[in-house]
Amino acid sequence: MNTLKHALDEYLTLRRALGYKLYEHGLLLQQFVQFTESEKVDFITTRLALHWATQPVDVQPAHHAKRLSVVRSFAKYRSASDPRTEVPPVNLLPSRVYRPAPYIYTDNEVRCLIKAALQLPSVVGLRRHTYATLFGLIAVSGMRIGELLNLDREDVDLTQAVLTVRNGKFGKMRWIPLHSSTQQALQQYGIKRDHLCPNPQAPSFFVSERGVRLTGDIVRHTFVKLSRQIGLRGPTDSHGPRLHDFRHRFAVNTLLEWYRSGADVDRHLLELTTYLGHVHVTDTYWYLSATPELLRLAVRRLECE
């Protein structure tokens, strides 16, 4: 009988041959199989799946439900070849997503963050420029942090002033036009990067001082440290403004500008949905109710029609 590890390889190969990408699902299932090995168990049980799915404890319940759902799909496949397999019941964990109110950074807070990044200690002098440019780009582009870190040099066309986002959320690809000031800032960073790190080990546009691709955990750790330094968070706060809130800032400010200028927001909303890489326009409509000022403007527009 195949081990769980071999069964997982077969499962992922089969699903991907059918057209499913399974980037995140594959990583989660690999972690689950490693967990079963650490527990010295070679078949799936509901108890074991539930124990793994409810880690870590300090996340939204929907995250736990998602982890369990991934294992459930694999368990269904595995049950055909191993009768000991237990398939966790549907709706065993609550899956409702709680969306916290977005934090909208002010222009001054963005400037303070970039200024603090330029003061980061750096062995060869590249780190400060990498983080200052990275924070500046995420503030003006509305990109997800993962999309930004996945940018390779070939994805940054500074001649045509456009970024290519490959394998975004749900495997989507899109193009992001650049303002001339952003184009210039990226050009300046590229010159500094190539001078200070002439032999990078990764094709990524943003690199560490060792020439490797930055990871989300490292960037978030640095962001939290700088956030505390400039007063966005208290010295010991575990929660506060997030990197993802820069995406909220972009979306909210775009909508506010449209409302204030008298633009037809309903007609333009699909453009914003496409730009942000949302799967459904309802994801973009959420901003209208999540931000009090936007909600007031939307209601006022409806009352005037």
Side-chain angles (χ1 to χ4, degrees):
M1 182 177 292
N2 288 340
T3 64
L4 273 179
K5 186 175 182 180
H6 291 156
L8 175 59
D9 290 340
E10 293 174 351
Y11 170 74
L12 293 176
T13 299
L14 174 62
R15 293 291 304 279
R16 286 167 177 161
L18 295 173
Y20 295 95
K21 301 297 183 182
L22 300 183
Y23 295 118
E24 185 179 6
H25 284 203
L27 291 174
L28 287 174
L29 285 173
Q30 288 171 5
Q31 293 170 13
F32 172 69
V33 169
Q34 290 172 0
F35 174 76
T36 63
E37 292 175 348
S38 69
E39 295 289 311
K40 302 187 184 310
V41 178
D42 61 354
F43 63 96
I44 301 172
T45 67
T46 298
R47 182 197 64 80
L48 191 70
L50 194 60
H51 186 191
W52 175 81
T54 51
Q55 300 177 19
V57 296
D58 57 344
V59 297
Q60 290 191 36
H63 182 71
H64 293 159
K66 177 181 179 180
R67 286 163 64 90
L68 186 61
S69 175
V70 169
V71 176
R72 184 184 301 111
S73 296
F74 176 46
K76 289 179 180 178
Y77 168 84
R78 181 59 173 163
S79 64
S81 57
D82 187 349
R84 299 175 299 171
T85 302
E86 296 178 8
V87 180
V90 177
N91 298 325
L92 187 59
L93 294 175
S95 59
R96 182 177 180 181
V97 177
Y98 167 71
R99 304 182 81 168
Y103 183 87
I104 309 302
Y105 295 95
T106 66
D107 291 345
N108 186 58
E109 288 171 337
V110 175
R111 285 192 291 267
C112 287
L113 180 64
I114 293 174
K115 183 178 180 180
L118 287 171
Q119 304 303 315
L120 283 168
S122 180
V123 176
V124 301
L126 178 60
R127 184 176 180 228
R128 59 174 65 100
H129 297 298
T130 295
Y131 278 96
T133 307
L134 187 152
F135 292 145
L137 180 59
I138 199 171
V140 301
S141 68
M143 296 173 67
R144 301 178 179 93
I145 183 60
E147 295 171 342
L148 192 149
L149 297 180
N150 284 336
L151 286 175
D152 285 341
R153 298 187 186 205
E154 65 178 6
D155 300 326
V156 182
D157 186 341
L158 296 178
T159 301
Q160 299 297 323
V162 64
L163 303 179
T164 300
V165 176
R166 306 178 193 275
N167 295 323
K169 194 172 183 179
F170 304 109
K172 297 182 69 175
M173 185 178 82
R174 69 185 192 280
W175 292 272
I176 295 179
L178 299 173
H179 187 272
S180 59
S181 60
T182 306
Q183 177 187 20
Q184 183 178 9
L186 294 181
Q187 287 174 334
Q188 291 173 349
Y189 170 72
I191 293 172
K192 292 185 177 74
R193 178 202 60 206
D194 294 345
H195 173 69
L196 297 171
C197 185
N199 299 302
Q201 301 179 42
S204 51
F205 185 78
F206 292 104
V207 296
S208 71
E209 296 203 324
R210 295 186 293 110
V212 300
R213 190 184 301 274
L214 297 171
T215 66
D217 288 341
I218 292 296
V219 172
R220 291 185 184 91
H221 175 77
T222 303
F223 168 73
V224 169
K225 180 180 178 181
L226 294 177
S227 295
R228 291 171 175 162
Q229 181 180 321
I230 65 176
L232 281 173
R233 296 187 182 205
T236 60
D237 288 351
S238 59
H239 298 283
R242 309 161 300 162
L243 280 171
H244 197 70
D245 285 317
F246 281 110
R247 182 170 166 85
H248 295 325
R249 175 183 186 267
F250 178 89
V252 168
N253 285 347
T254 298
L255 289 167
L256 284 173
E257 184 178 346
W258 285 345
Y259 272 112
R260 289 166 179 167
S261 66
D264 186 342
V265 177
D266 288 336
R267 184 170 64 86
H268 288 292
L269 200 63
L270 188 57
E271 298 172 9
L272 184 59
T273 297
T274 302
Y275 179 93
L276 291 172
H278 285 160
V279 175
H280 305 290
V281 71
T282 51
D283 294 329
T284 315
Y285 268 114
W286 171 74
Y287 289 106
L288 297 178
S289 60
T291 312
E293 185 177 1
L294 268 177
L295 184 58
R296 286 195 299 270
L297 289 170
V299 171
R300 189 180 306 164
R301 178 70 63 85
L302 287 173
E303 290 175 345
C304 295
E305 291 179 351

